[in-house]
Amino acid sequence: MLEQITNWVVLMFENRSFDSLLGHLPHIDAADGIRNREIILPYPRGKVRVHPATDLCDPIPDPGEAYGNVNVQLWGEYIPASNAGKSPYPLFPDPMQAPFNVPPSPGVATMDGFATDFYANFCWEKERQPIDREMQSIGGVCTPGIAPVINRLAAEYAVFTRWFCEAPTCTFPNRSFYHGGTSLGKLDNDTIVSYSWDQEMPNLFDLFTAKGIDWRVYYDKSQIVPDCAINLAGLRHIGMWRSHSAPRTQFFADAAAGRLPTYSWLEPNMFFPPLDDYHPPTDIRAGEQFLARAYEAVRSSPQWLSTALIVLFDEHGGCYDHVPPPAAPVPDGRPGEQGFAFDRFGVRVPAIVISPYTQRGTVITDLFHTCSVLHTLRERFDLGPALTRRDAAAPLLEPAFNQSVPRTDQVELTVPEYHHAPPTKEQRAAAFGDTPDADLLFSQWRQASQPELTELATATLRNAARLSGEDPDQVPVTVDGARHWLAKRFHQAGELKST
């Protein structure tokens, strides 16, 4: 049924595991979820029980998501032991050392180290020990009552219960895999500069452009620039981005008018408030509202009968999951940072396919991963050979298109009420999360900012500074300062500069 879909919309959110959002789905196999399970996670001063979240921003603070963090989450141990309390990010002084918490004979991951890493990462970030109440935050997960939008869509369309992110690490490397089938060996957010500046390699946007197929990136103008333009496709082709980028308001207008392009990359707000990307400790209701708007726009569009909406998450972000990641095809011959061979996937993440050709309640239990979208789009539009071995091996999304007669029903969603309010000073202090892009003094400056930048925003600013030949350590630390800094360098008359 892939030939019936001529318009593809991909919405990739941030930093949630499958169990964190969908582990309580009632219609999936018991082995794939955590309903009615008693799960206890140890940490040096106590235990954490996995439980329905009582705070809609859980976990607080943002858990660790670097390679060293994830290895502890998988196997429950710091190796060497002195790595506990050290920086998981190479740019910081006194970073973790080899083997970066990978056991000598790893075997199947035990998946019991999430509280252990949350504890040590908390101590490193805040320079104090968490109390037990703070520790229980890492055990908070969503039920269908807490996150009704994404759980309802997962129940009404196709949900993948064995979908893994591409690498056991943070945001930019995993997003690189989505677009190009590799991160070229990179494991850290701050060192991912761009696809086609420091990382000269083909990506999905290039393939569509070369084929003459229309595509567009939709982003909120409050973010100044689309994330993928700065971090994933490079400033060498800023003219291409100017002609292919549009504000998010235009996405809703295009959907209503039946003008969506063949490929739409729809971005949540990941840099500056109001954030709506599901990334902890962002209030879950903001992501729920944006997902509901995206679904309703696609479902109400005159193009519905030819459109698929794919809902993804880039990586698990340190949130709990109970399914061990399997082995993965090595993508290319590039040596990995920190000795990683890119021979295993990252943690399981939510993935949902929504289309008129998808049967209600479809549950796909086979192994899939993020490059499955890249492979499917290459095949569907004859975009050329596989970009990497990981791309070539990824299974196609065909099982999600399992209904010959298109659906005409429209799912009624219960959307939680939510209104963004700037965080108080106390909330900023509690929510401050991992920041792999400056020293601890810089983080303390930022903690007192009005309001703080996200980790992703700061890493992006530093990348943009490098590309502009400026000192990354001198980027602004406030939201208003960052917006002005980006606009001055990359905007002209309110639009992206063409050169």
Side-chain angles (χ1 to χ4, degrees):
M1 302 302 297
L2 292 178
E3 67 277 3
Q4 302 293 334
I5 304 299
T6 58
N7 302 93
W8 297 73
V9 180
V10 178
L11 172 54
M12 180 178 279
F13 288 107
E14 282 271 301
N15 290 48
R16 289 282 177 175
S17 67
F18 184 93
D19 282 342
S20 174
L21 287 180
L22 301 179
H24 281 77
L25 278 171
H27 71 301
I28 63 174
D29 293 345
D32 291 332
I34 55 174
R35 282 194 312 140
N36 303 319
R37 292 194 186 200
E38 181 72 13
I39 301 171
I40 302 296
L41 303 173
Y43 71 95
R45 295 166 61 92
K47 297 178 180 179
V48 169
R49 181 178 62 87
V50 176
H51 61 278
T54 56
D55 190 316
L56 296 175
C57 297
D58 278 346
I60 305 171
D62 182 11
E65 61 192 78
Y67 177 64
N69 296 121
V70 179
N71 289 331
V72 177
Q73 292 158 17
L74 298 185
W75 285 289
E77 184 179 4
Y78 284 91
I79 304 175
S82 58
N83 276 346
K86 289 188 175 183
S87 165
Y89 305 103
L91 286 181
F92 277 72
D94 194 25
M96 292 183 183
Q97 301 299 310
F100 306 101
N101 312 319
V102 179
S105 301
V108 177
T110 56
M111 308 303 287
D112 59 358
F114 288 85
T116 296
D117 184 67
F118 188 76
Y119 174 84
N121 204 57
F122 189 111
C123 294
W124 172 71
E125 289 174 352
K126 295 179 176 295
E127 301 180 283
R128 69 171 177 85
Q129 293 179 344
I131 61 176
D132 184 74
R133 177 180 55 80
E134 292 172 313
M135 281 299 305
Q136 297 307 314
S137 178
I138 189 60
V141 297
C142 294
T143 65
I146 296 171
V149 174
I150 193 167
N151 277 268
R152 181 69 186 279
L153 292 174
E156 291 288 342
Y157 293 97
V159 63
F160 294 76
T161 60
R162 297 277 167 155
W163 184 294
F164 296 86
C165 69
E166 296 292 343
T169 188
C170 47
T171 291
F172 292 161
N174 276 289
R175 287 179 175 262
S176 294
F177 266 97
Y178 169 84
H179 293 286
T182 179
S183 68
L184 295 183
K186 301 293 174 57
L187 276 175
D188 187 34
N189 276 348
D190 196 63
T191 56
I192 296 289
V193 177
S194 69
Y195 261 24
S196 53
W197 195 283
D198 280 2
Q199 298 204 141
E200 194 71 63
M201 70 187 201
N203 61 68
L204 194 51
F205 299 118
D206 294 330
L207 300 183
F208 277 118
T209 301
K211 195 75 174 181
I213 295 174
D214 59 327
W215 61 271
R216 191 165 298 122
V217 170
Y218 295 96
Y219 71 106
D220 194 277
K221 281 299 187 74
S222 68
Q223 308 302 290
I224 308 298
V225 290
D227 167 64
C228 53
I230 289 286
N231 290 305
L232 298 178
L235 294 181
R236 266 182 214 186
H237 304 306
I238 193 65
M240 180 181 75
W241 287 105
R242 185 178 186 184
S243 62
H244 286 279
S245 298
R248 270 188 356 191
T249 53
Q250 189 64 43
F251 170 79
F252 298 105
D254 288 347
R259 296 193 304 260
L260 288 175
T262 300
Y263 178 56
S264 299
W265 173 255
L266 179 60
E267 291 191 349
N269 289 351
M270 299 179 283
F271 295 162
F272 309 128
L275 305 175
D276 52 17
D277 58 358
Y278 281 95
H279 192 310
T282 300
D283 193 305
I284 202 84
R285 294 172 296 181
E288 290 275 285
Q289 286 187 352
F290 182 50
L291 175 56
R293 288 188 65 204
Y295 167 73
E296 289 164 357
V298 169
R299 178 59 192 87
S300 301
S301 173
Q303 295 169 290
W304 164 247
L305 293 181
S306 63
T307 301
L309 169 62
I310 302 176
V311 180
L312 303 174
F313 284 74
D314 58 357
E315 42 109 356
H316 79 296
C319 296
Y320 174 74
D321 198 80
H322 78 282
V323 176
V330 176
D332 49 35
R334 298 283 184 134
E337 294 178 338
Q338 300 182 50
F340 182 51
F342 285 90
D343 55 356
R344 54 184 165 94
F345 289 113
V347 175
R348 198 173 54 142
V349 290
I352 302 169
V353 169
I354 298 166
S355 87
Y357 299 97
T358 302
Q359 292 180 12
R360 182 181 185 275
T362 297
V363 178
I364 299 170
T365 60
D366 293 333
L367 170 63
F368 279 79
H369 49 101
T370 308
C371 282
S372 292
V373 182
L374 171 59
H375 190 180
T376 299
L377 292 175
R378 280 196 307 100
E379 292 289 331
R380 171 62 184 85
F381 296 103
D382 192 24
L383 299 180
L387 298 181
T388 66
R389 292 190 291 271
R390 183 77 63 88
D391 169 17
L396 299 177
L397 298 180
E398 290 173 322
F401 302 92
N402 54 1
Q403 179 159 313
S404 59
V405 178
R407 293 171 58 169
T408 58
D409 61 310
Q410 182 160 356
V411 176
E412 295 295 328
L413 299 174
T414 300
V415 183
E417 184 176 349
Y418 172 73
H419 301 284
H420 171 74
T424 65
K425 182 178 180 180
E426 290 74 18
Q427 288 172 327
R428 289 199 305 274
F432 175 61
D434 59 329
T435 312
D437 36 45
D439 58 27
L440 288 174
L441 179 60
F442 179 85
S443 75
Q444 292 167 356
W445 293 343
R446 196 177 67 178
Q447 192 173 11
S449 300
Q450 298 285 334
E452 69 180 35
L453 294 177
T454 67
E455 167 208 336
L456 193 61
T458 308
T460 297
L461 286 173
R462 292 173 61 82
N463 292 340
R466 288 192 184 93
L467 294 175
S468 301
E470 301 180 48
D471 183 356
D473 291 331
Q474 299 303 312
V475 297
V477 298
T478 66
V479 167
D480 288 343
R483 283 195 176 114
H484 177 76
W485 190 92
L486 281 171
K488 181 178 180 181
R489 287 157 178 79
F490 303 117
H491 266 206
Q492 183 174 357
E495 301 293 338
L496 287 172
K497 289 182 179 180
S498 58
T499 58

